[in-house]
Amino acid sequence: MSGEGTAPKVELPITGSCHCGAVSYEMKTPPRHAVECNCSICRRLGTIWGHGEAGDFEIKAAPGATLSYVWGDKGLAFHTCNTCGCTTHWQSLSAEFPGRLAVNLRLAPPGTIEAIGLRHFDGAHTWTFLD
């Protein structure tokens, strides 16, 4: 699927939550596509991301409900539920991309990723889409 074209036909808002329900999200605007990345962290987490700007999302979690993991170039903070261990989202820490955020679409209802369309991103080597 190319990244160009019309917005996907998906029920809005897109919602998702960790297994125990302590962290949930609402995505008000559908992403252009769902992204599966093969970088060292994403392949280990098994995530599929829905990207957007912070204003497109509402993350619902009590203070301290997530563990934030920052590594490497310190450009992203990955958030994981402290109770059940599901990775729920990441937030940009980069001055170059302020307000960028992505939610883990694997936490959304079945069929959401298929309705949006999946692209594969080579975050391990070329930093380009593989399709």
Side-chain angles (χ1 to χ4, degrees):
M1 172 182 191
S2 78
E4 306 304 316
T6 60
K9 302 289 189 232
V10 64
E11 191 172 324
L12 295 176
I14 297 170
T15 60
S17 70
C18 64
H19 193 257
C20 72
V23 184
S24 63
Y25 63 78
E26 285 189 1
M27 186 176 201
K28 302 169 201 163
T29 304
R32 293 177 73 186
H33 38 261
V35 177
E36 186 170 33
C37 178
N38 66 354
C39 76
S40 62
I41 187 72
C42 291
R43 72 179 174 80
R44 285 176 170 90
L45 295 173
T47 52
I48 294 181
W49 300 112
H51 296 87
E53 299 298 321
D56 296 335
F57 301 92
E58 182 178 355
I59 306 293
K60 300 174 185 177
T66 66
L67 169 70
S68 176
Y69 178 63
V70 179
W71 66 282
D73 65 4
K74 305 208 182 330
L76 299 177
F78 291 86
H79 289 267
T80 301
C81 175
N82 278 329
T83 303
C84 67
C86 290
T87 299
T88 56
H89 64 288
W90 62 251
Q91 292 176 290
S92 174
L93 301 176
S94 168
E96 187 178 353
F97 301 105
R100 271 313 265 175
L101 192 132
V103 294
N104 184 358
L105 292 172
R106 288 198 189 267
L107 307 180
T112 301
I113 294 166
E114 294 79 8
I116 294 170
L118 181 63
R119 294 193 73 193
H120 298 277
F121 186 77
D122 185 10
H125 302 289
T126 64
W127 208 248
T128 60
F129 283 99
L130 297 171
D131 51 4

